[in-house]
Amino acid sequence: MESRRSVFFVSDGTGITVEILGNSLLTQFEGTLFRRITLPFIHNRKALQHAIDQINRAVKEEQQKPIVFLSIINDEMNRELCEKTHALTLDFFQAFISPLEQELGVKSTHAAGRSHSVNYDYFRRMEAINFAQMHDDGAATRDLSHAEVILIGVSRCGKTPTSLYLALQFGIRAANFPLTPDDFADHKLPDSLQSLRHKLFGLTIDPKRLSQIRQERRADSHYASLENCRQEIRNAETLMEQEKIPILDTTAKSIEEIATTIIHEAKLSRHLY
Amino acid sequence: MESRRSVFFVSDGTGITVEILGNSLLTQFEGTLFRRITLPFIHNRKALQHAIDQINRAVKEEQQKPIVFLSIINDEMNRELCEKTHALTLDFFQAFISPLEQELGVKSTHAAGRSHSVNYDYFRRMEAINFAQMHDDGAATRDLSHAEVILIGVSRCGKTPTSLYLALQFGIRAANFPLTPDDFADHKLPDSLQSLRHKLFGLTIDPKRLSQIRQERRADSHYASLENCRQEIRNAETLMEQEKIPILDTTAKSIEEIATTIIHEAKLSRHLY
């Protein structure tokens, strides 16, 4: 049996940045099995010693070098971890900070975390999340004109997670509105969307995939049947085309890809970075 | 007036990884103003040429080198962008992939994106998001035992965005439940939480901050008054201490920091990377 290689994400902050970076690199090595361990908030000697011990234990147990994605801004702690562990250490901060300092002509502040923007980020996000929640699944039509984008599509095509992701990751106010058999019978958009056509963005999905998703929710129902899914999607796409609304197929896409494509095509502004 | 330095995030995927990485580096240069432009889905020659043109236009207009955070896996396109633009290019893929290949003893697949995990990720996330939505603000008590963690605290202390972030980023099923004046009058936890004490995690917040957040929602109300916020928080903290529930102060923390601290202290497992 192949042994798993330990991968550590070590950070003086949340570790989310090194996790994302490291995992994006690890996806390039599909055949290899990894055991992932995140060690966040390594910002004092006690936490550092604990991290060093954990990494060295893996060296011993696995008889191979663990991989350490590192982001500790304090130079001394950083060096200590590198010296006292027998691992492959990849430190994105060290790799890029000095060319940046040189080009910008200033020294970096060497400050851990990014608490300076907590306040602004928090309010912006909170507002966007509240908005997404209040305008989920067509729940409220009041203030719909304050939306930066309104996602439409049949039930379970990916509208809710996309709206929430747009709010959380980018601070964008995204509403979503279901297209239902009533709308198809009328051959027109719901009344509350008529004047907001320029903000609409359509999501669609492969009928088989939709049926599979709906089965998880309501097994063996008319709602989840392949025939009904086919019919609903055909009607929704026809309506969107007729109304000249952009359509995105979410079938083989991650939520990140769906959200980014919408930002890109609808030319929305990211409010958070 | 200081001119803004253009920063490009160029990727053959969503660009979210390079955005996160790049911004975490840029926070180290607080005095400098940046103009951020994300160029996602650069995976053909036409898109590449468009990116090169945009970067070179910035060179001309700003009379200084733009910074380019780059993640294009195709070597040839990568080289072309570097050669044809006069920018500081920081390429995290190129920097780390070769030491990884060497240590792992295999070649990377050089495949863009990470669509191989779309399906698993999607279902895991969908399920966690549905769960968070259904169990937001104590909405449903059915299935509460399926939660991996249940956040409790007074209204507007950060429970909802944290639950959603845990679901979206890590696939963790997080419910949240408000503590209300009724609970304080009874001096005990709501009945539906009694048997789930081991899953509870308390959030608290500075009363001034809470009052400020509540003012945004319901200005000049008793609900938002500093006096009422002080009282509610004192009662909530007393109840949590009495019930031996861990308490986290969210006041000066980002949602990422709150979520990571909860994962760390409650020893939850990340389901997604």
Side-chain angles (χ1 to χ4, degrees), chain B residues 36-101:
Chain B
R36 294 167 166 85
I37 307 105
T38 304
L39 304 176
F41 306 124
I42 306 297
H43 42 39
N44 58 40
R45 306 217 65 81
K46 196 182 150 201
L48 182 71
Q49 191 54 53
H50 182 68
I52 292 171
D53 292 346
Q54 260 195 278
I55 295 168
N56 282 335
R57 208 172 311 132
V59 177
K60 230 184 214 164
E61 285 170 11
E62 298 169 22
Q63 309 269 316
Q64 58 185 355
K65 278 191 189 177
I67 314 252
V68 176
F69 291 99
L70 183 62
S71 172
I72 294 182
I73 289 176
N74 181 300
D75 286 330
E76 206 179 309
M77 286 174 64
N78 207 313
R79 207 164 29 238
E80 186 170 337
L81 188 135
C82 291
E83 280 169 9
K84 293 194 174 167
T85 56
H86 190 63
L88 174 68
T89 310
L90 300 174
D91 184 335
F92 86 88
F93 187 78
Q94 296 298 332
F96 295 130
I97 204 75
S98 105
L100 271 173
E101 285 181 339

Side-chain angles (χ1 to χ4, degrees), chain A residues 259-268 270, chain B residues 38-41:
Chain A
T260 309
T261 306
I262 293 168
I263 290 178
H264 193 58
E265 296 195 0
K267 302 197 192 317
L268 303 177
R270 291 159 165 79
Chain B
T38 304
L39 304 176
F41 306 124

